């Protein structure tokens, strides 16, 4: 493994040291903890606190979404490992002003266990908590609540942050964030593996002309292995699966995301996004906006997620609300 | 080669089709040309036009810097190939409102040839042109004007866009942009090669534990090959070379950039940035701000550039001015 690190086992700690040195105008460490960061300006009195977190190794997820209009506090664990309940509790207490805290995280067993335990600790300390878990990966079965959470995290945290900033109460922030999450569908295609920084071990193997559709963010098995094929054929297949899963109908309006998994060039992402636009247009589905870039990676994995986010008037308003963070910003309209 | 493309020879065209479909709120095509894009709101009456360009394949450079406070028009050529004079002329005419146009591009033979020819064509059509070429790569010899231009392009276009937006005339925009460029120094370290999308050929070869310091953005030879080493040792060496090249003195204030070349994770970039902060602090040099991310890539090359941008009061003002683009944004203070 060739990575720009000091000691592999300290990669996450060193990354957070770098974030702290580079962005004192944006964030500060909570209570001397390695991986719990509060955004500048938080907590805001009489506003719901928004807590976002999960395992490290998927940067810019989660720390990249710390900022006004997004997460008030971010808590990360080790590489691909959930943060522990004590860290989550410290994060929640840092943003609670008596209006409660929304937990937003991906639907993984380890995260559920740790965040649920943290919720119990919060109850003991009088902090009201509600939770929205993200499950958007259509490659993981028909039971939606058992699906993996991937790039839809961007739209759940965007919605939660906008709703909290608008002054909604905890139940209302939870409700609209849940609707945003339920309105997202994602499918990915992998080309090349990631290497775990702490072990140097590749997450999977693929032949020189092979791709895998639906592989998870940690190398979990997908729908099928196939030969590399033109971007337009891949995008047509992927959009077809996503649209059928809702199912979407003519006239529906979506945000389209083309997410790079780590090593994939912006050139490829725009080629895929272009093909996805065509595949949506062919179904009479309107693209309200497009997000193209690296929003959630798996180290230097090669590949692309396509995510759709079905809009309604309220979700559109929250999508367009201003926000400012390292990974996702929108200027005031 | 496994890349998400349709036909490799049409990768650049397809990328620009994608950009056009995804970002109609930000940009529009000039005169039906494939790779000439005008930002929304440009040209601005009685303001100098800012033109930015070069070869494709380095995304988000150059198109990612199209926007208010940055470039008014961007013109790109094929992969690693300069745009042609006719395209540059069309771009210049699209942003000239009688106040002239500043050309900003990297110091490469092909670019110089084509942009200089375009300048002559502009003169024939009554469009006043000034030029700032970026040369910041300290690995390419003592004669600064023969050095390669790499990531300092970010600070030249930032300065040019801010100065033009502030209403400076063409000579003044040129002067301050040139000072910004002269105040930048960059050194890179490469770990893994890029693959040209049109040919599938890797740009160079490196052993499994080898790195090359100072390699150019197209695989040009660097200062030395070495074994992989801890990030803090690499950053100390690189910052030492950069600081000595000015030379910087105690109390100087800089912007620090850690740029990912394509496949390098944000985790590694922050580990390097953290070490660079320490190396600067050890020399008594103050870091005013840090930019960490992918600002200029070479396809999926692995590695990191460290760039320093020495500030003075005027440059700081332009650095802090608001801007909004796909790759680089700053909210109004």
């Amino acid at each position: 493994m060739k990575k720009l690190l000091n000691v592999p086992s300290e990669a996450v700690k060193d990354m957070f040291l770098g974030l702290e040195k580079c962005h004192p105008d944006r964030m500060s460490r909570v209570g001397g903890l390695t991986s719990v960061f509060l955004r500048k300006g938080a907590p805001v009195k009489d506003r719901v606190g928004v807590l976002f977190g999960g395992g490290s190794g998927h940067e810019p997820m989660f720390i990249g979404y710390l900022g006004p209009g997004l997460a008030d506090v971010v808590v990360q664990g080790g590489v691909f490992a959930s943060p522990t309940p004590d860290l989550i509790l410290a994060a929640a207490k840092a943003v609670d002003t008596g209006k409660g805290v929304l937990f937003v995280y991906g639907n993984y067993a380890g995260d559920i266990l740790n965040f649920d335990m943290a919720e119990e600790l919060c109850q003991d300390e009088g902090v009201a908590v509600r939770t929205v878990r993200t499950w958007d990966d259509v490659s993981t079965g028909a039971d939606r609540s058992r699906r993996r959470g991937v790039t839809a995290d961007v739209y759940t945290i965007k919605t939660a942050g906008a709703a909290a900033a608008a002054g909604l109460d905890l139940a209302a922030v939870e409700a609209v964030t849940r609707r945003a999450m339920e309105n997202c569908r994602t499918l990915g295609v992998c080309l090349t593996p990631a290497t775990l920084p702490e072990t140097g071990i590749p997450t999977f193997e693929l032949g020189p002309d092979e791709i895998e559709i639906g592989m998870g963010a940690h190398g979990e098995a997908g729908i099928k292995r196939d030969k590399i094929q033109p971007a337009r054929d891949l995008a047509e297949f992927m959009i077809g699966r996503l649209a059928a899963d809702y199912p979407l109908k003519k006239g529906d309006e979506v945000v389209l995301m083309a997410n790079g998994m780590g090593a994939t060039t912006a050139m490829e992402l725009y080629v895929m996004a272009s093909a996805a636009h065509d595949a949506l247009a062919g179904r009479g589905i309107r693209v309200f906006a497009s997000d193209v870039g690296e929003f959630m990676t798996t180290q230097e994995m090669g590949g692309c997620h396509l995510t759709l986010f079905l809009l309604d008037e309220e979700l559109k308003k929250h999508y367009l609300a201003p926000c400012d963070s390292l990974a996702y910003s929108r200027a005031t309209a």
Side-chain angles (χ1 to χ4, degrees), chain A residues 135-144 147 182 184-187 238-248 308:
Chain A
W135 50 69
D136 56 316
D137 189 338
V138 304
S139 71
T140 45
D143 178 355
R144 295 193 56 211
R147 288 177 171 177
E182 294 275 12
C184 289
R185 299 288 189 285
T186 297
L187 189 57
M238 292 164 74
I239 292 294
R241 285 288 288 245
L242 295 176
D245 196 84
Y246 286 84
L248 293 178
L308 299 182

Side-chain angles (χ1 to χ4, degrees), chain A residues 55-317:
Chain A
S56 294
H58 300 294
E59 290 70 29
M61 191 70 71
F62 299 83
I63 191 70
Y65 300 86
L66 183 69
L70 294 159
D72 293 312
V73 67
V74 162
V75 50
Q76 292 189 201
V79 175
F80 301 173
S82 172
T84 50
D86 56 316
L87 297 182
I88 302 166
L89 173 67
K93 287 168 71 177
V95 292
D96 182 43
T97 63
K99 295 293 176 180
V101 180
L102 184 73
F103 287 3
V104 178
Y105 61 93
N107 193 37
Y108 293 90
D111 289 300
I112 294 168
L113 186 74
N114 284 282
F115 279 88
D116 279 355
M117 285 177 63
E119 186 173 341
E120 286 178 29
L121 298 175
C122 284
Q123 281 168 350
D124 294 346
E125 302 215 19
V127 178
V129 170
R130 298 283 184 106
T131 290
V132 176
R133 297 182 191 122
T134 302
W135 50 69
D136 56 316
D137 189 338
V138 304
S139 71
T140 45
D143 178 355
R144 295 193 56 211
S145 71
R146 302 188 69 166
R147 288 177 171 177
R148 295 186 291 251
V150 275
T151 36
D153 266 343
V154 176
Y155 301 123
T156 53
I157 198 62
K158 178 73 182 78
T159 304
L168 276 63
D169 68 20
L170 182 57
V173 173
E174 179 200 6
V176 72
T177 301
R178 187 173 308 283
R179 193 163 84 251
M181 187 280 290
E182 294 275 12
N183 278 17
C184 289
R185 299 288 189 285
T186 297
L187 189 57
V189 56
C190 281
L191 278 70
T192 53
T195 313
L196 293 177
E198 292 161 345
T199 63
I201 298 174
T203 48
F204 58 87
E205 287 188 12
L206 274 173
D209 62 347
E210 267 187 328
I211 60 174
E212 182 158 329
I213 294 173
M215 181 176 285
H218 314 95
E220 301 95 329
I223 299 175
K224 63 171 179 179
R225 293 209 168 185
D226 211 335
K227 297 289 175 193
I228 183 76
Q229 51 200 269
R232 68 171 69 84
D233 298 340
L234 267 173
E236 169 59 30
F237 173 81
M238 292 164 74
I239 292 294
R241 285 288 288 245
L242 295 176
D245 196 84
Y246 286 84
L248 293 178
K249 56 186 193 302
K250 264 187 196 176
D252 280 343
E253 201 170 19
V254 300
V255 175
L256 166 70
M257 174 188 287
N259 174 63
M261 292 178 179
T264 299
T265 61
M267 187 176 283
E268 292 164 90
L269 297 180
Y270 277 103
V271 172
M272 284 292 286
S274 179
H277 266 262
D278 295 347
L280 289 162
R283 289 166 173 82
I285 297 159
R286 192 172 154 227
V287 181
F288 176 73
S290 308
D291 291 314
V292 181
E294 289 185 352
F295 301 100
M296 177 188 182
T297 68
T298 298
Q299 294 291 304
E300 78 286 11
M301 190 185 283
C304 171
H305 291 107
L306 295 181
T307 299
L308 299 182
F309 175 26
L310 176 62
L311 296 173
D312 58 33
E313 287 311 307
E314 190 186 10
L315 294 176
K316 194 184 287 187
K317 185 187 74 182

